[in-house]
Amino acid sequence: MNEGAHVSVSGETDGKELHDQLTALRRLREQGKDANRRPRRSLLSAGERAAILRKTGGKCHICGGDIRGRWHADHILAHSAGGMHAEDNYLPAHVTCNNYRWDYLPEEFELILKLGVWARTEVEKGTSVGLAIEKKFSQKEAKRQARRKNAMNDEYTGT
């Protein structure tokens, strides 16, 4: 895979190459999901979940943080890519880490990490782009948190 977007002779890019690359990777991922559709998995037993958590010493395999409370058993080889629902194909992950990682292709996840690091730098520097990112991200995060609270309230009240 190419490192970053293609840059013109003047050193500028219109972003179209990155857009096209991300779109192509999404399409490829969706094709893989369609090709590997299988029945839903059965739930892991408490013993299987404990064994999965022990594999990393109680740490999230994505961010490395301590796991306390709820966590996901994350497929090493994604189910959508043909991975099995077997104890040896799972590692523990924070719910948030696993939900944000999804089942991206390695090249896709690499680009997402690069974009995220670049965006973080822009926010820290207080650039105009960073301020715009900060504003939009804060709005999106507030909506996400409100949805989670509503879902938890619905679960609690049984609605």
Side-chain angles (χ1 to χ4, degrees):
M1 177 162 150
N2 297 342
E3 289 292 320
H6 300 283
V7 179
S8 69
V9 175
S10 67
E12 295 181 14
T13 180
D14 63 4
K16 180 109 174 78
E17 294 87 358
L18 181 59
H19 175 270
D20 292 348
Q21 189 175 16
L22 288 169
T23 302
L25 286 167
R26 177 185 290 268
R27 201 172 301 122
L28 185 61
R29 178 170 34 96
E30 293 299 325
Q31 289 170 353
K33 286 168 100 174
D34 290 342
N36 289 302
R37 295 260 182 240
R38 291 181 287 159
R40 298 226 5 116
R41 64 180 173 255
S42 59
L43 296 177
L44 294 166
S45 70
E48 289 169 322
R49 286 185 60 82
I52 292 165
L53 191 57
R54 279 192 303 271
K55 288 181 186 183
T56 61
K59 305 255 186 229
C60 172
H61 85 98
I62 297 170
C63 76
D66 289 335
I67 292 181
R68 294 186 174 94
R70 285 188 45 215
W71 58 277
H72 283 174
D74 181 30
H75 286 92
I76 297 167
L77 176 58
H79 182 241
S80 61
M84 301 304 295
H85 297 307
E87 186 180 313
D88 61 347
N89 190 39
Y90 288 110
L91 287 173
H94 291 121
V95 173
T96 301
C97 291
N98 193 40
N99 285 341
Y100 275 103
R101 191 179 69 95
W102 292 359
D103 61 348
Y104 292 117
L105 297 172
E107 300 88 353
E108 203 174 5
F109 194 60
E110 181 181 338
L111 277 173
I112 290 165
L113 288 172
K114 288 177 182 179
L115 283 166
V117 169
W118 171 79
R120 178 181 184 264
T121 302
E122 294 297 303
V123 169
E124 285 180 343
K125 288 180 178 178
T127 66
S128 59
V129 170
L131 294 172
I133 290 168
E134 184 176 14
K135 180 179 178 182
K136 289 288 190 177
F137 180 80
S138 295
Q139 290 169 347
K140 184 167 180 75
E141 190 64 8
K143 286 180 183 177
R144 186 183 74 81
Q145 289 292 340
R147 278 195 314 269
R148 286 193 60 190
K149 286 179 185 174
N150 287 339
M152 290 173 70
N153 288 338
D154 290 347
E155 187 178 298
Y156 180 73
T157 60
T159 58

